[in-house]
Amino acid sequence: MTLILASSSAIRRALLDQAGLDYRIVPAAIDEPAVEAAHEGQDFELALALAEAKAAKISDLYPGAWVIGGDSIVSVEGRRFRKPANRHEAAEHLRYFSGRAMRLVSAVALARKGEVEWNHISDAVLHVRPLSEKFIEDYLAAEWPQVAYCVGVFRMEGRGVTLFDQVEGDHFTILGMPLLPLLGALRERRLMPS
């Protein structure tokens, strides 16, 4: 049975690779602004809706395959953030995050024949320590452009760990995919050994 990841996310690919999964990559192009508009102010619902939309769209195109969709939402004090458009915007995001708690919501969905059959959502709270202008400048000099693809402007597998003084939540959720529940769902469907 074919397994497809409906994402071009490097970290999601790395997580599936580390788990030893055999899969294909078929990124899903969905109307994210329309989905966001339908879930204004609802981080959990939005993350889940985006993950499900991606999985369902690709599974409709490949009806014999199981498709994994995933998405993450970052918000700070009720303000939702997108991936930074450029380095200047990344610096602005980091200034806003400084000394505040970041909420990260990650969702994953599994679909077949255009229908979502399973989903999971979880969240984490990351406490950003106060960041100096010098730190922000040095951090982006070292991490740009890799963090351009990260909503929270950090990679925990890189220097992003230096942004925080406390983290509450599952490691895989923070990386952008609740991996352990997904692996359980794949085992239940005999898509990997149990």
Side-chain angles (χ1 to χ4, degrees), residues 21-97:
L21 294 175
D22 182 23
Y23 65 96
R24 293 176 50 198
I25 298 169
V26 183
I30 61 168
D31 186 355
E32 291 195 26
V35 177
E36 290 174 3
H39 297 283
E40 187 61 37
Q42 303 171 326
D43 292 350
F44 278 85
E45 294 85 350
L46 175 59
L48 193 56
L50 289 168
E52 289 183 342
K54 291 173 183 179
K57 179 170 185 171
I58 299 303
S59 71
D60 199 34
L61 299 173
Y62 298 87
W66 286 93
V67 180
I68 301 167
D71 214 297
S72 297
I73 303 296
V74 167
S75 62
V76 177
E77 295 184 352
R79 179 178 164 192
R80 190 177 296 147
F81 286 83
R82 295 176 184 261
K83 295 173 186 171
N86 52 51
R87 189 167 159 173
H88 175 75
E89 187 174 68
E92 288 179 357
H93 288 189
L94 291 169
R95 286 185 198 103
Y96 189 85
F97 299 162

Side-chain angles (χ1 to χ4, degrees), residues 74-166:
V74 167
S75 62
V76 177
E77 295 184 352
R79 179 178 164 192
R80 190 177 296 147
F81 286 83
R82 295 176 184 261
K83 295 173 186 171
N86 52 51
R87 189 167 159 173
H88 175 75
E89 187 174 68
E92 288 179 357
H93 288 189
L94 291 169
R95 286 185 198 103
Y96 189 85
F97 299 162
S98 179
R100 295 183 164 112
M102 173 190 297
R103 183 179 190 192
L104 191 151
V105 177
S106 290
V108 62
L110 195 55
R112 188 165 180 229
K113 298 179 182 175
E115 297 292 325
V116 174
E117 294 202 10
W118 176 89
N119 64 46
H120 183 84
I121 189 163
S122 59
D123 70 329
V125 178
L126 300 92
H127 299 271
V128 181
R129 64 179 184 78
L131 308 175
S132 69
E133 281 297 315
K134 172 88 167 90
F135 173 84
I136 291 171
E137 179 183 317
D138 292 348
Y139 173 78
L140 289 176
E143 289 290 288
W144 192 265
Q146 292 86 349
V147 294
Y149 309 103
C150 307
V151 178
V153 196
F154 73 91
R155 297 178 308 135
M156 283 302 248
E157 68 280 13
R159 292 188 188 186
V161 70
T162 65
L163 297 175
F164 309 105
D165 57 18
Q166 184 181 355

Side-chain angles (χ1 to χ4, degrees), residues 11 15 18 104 106 122-124 126 154-157 161 167-180:
I11 190 64
L15 290 173
Q18 291 166 7
L104 191 151
S106 290
S122 59
D123 70 329
L126 300 92
F154 73 91
R155 297 178 308 135
M156 283 302 248
E157 68 280 13
V161 70
V167 172
E168 304 164 32
D170 176 71
H171 177 71
F172 298 113
T173 295
I174 294 165
L175 292 179
M177 179 180 283
L179 185 62
L180 298 180

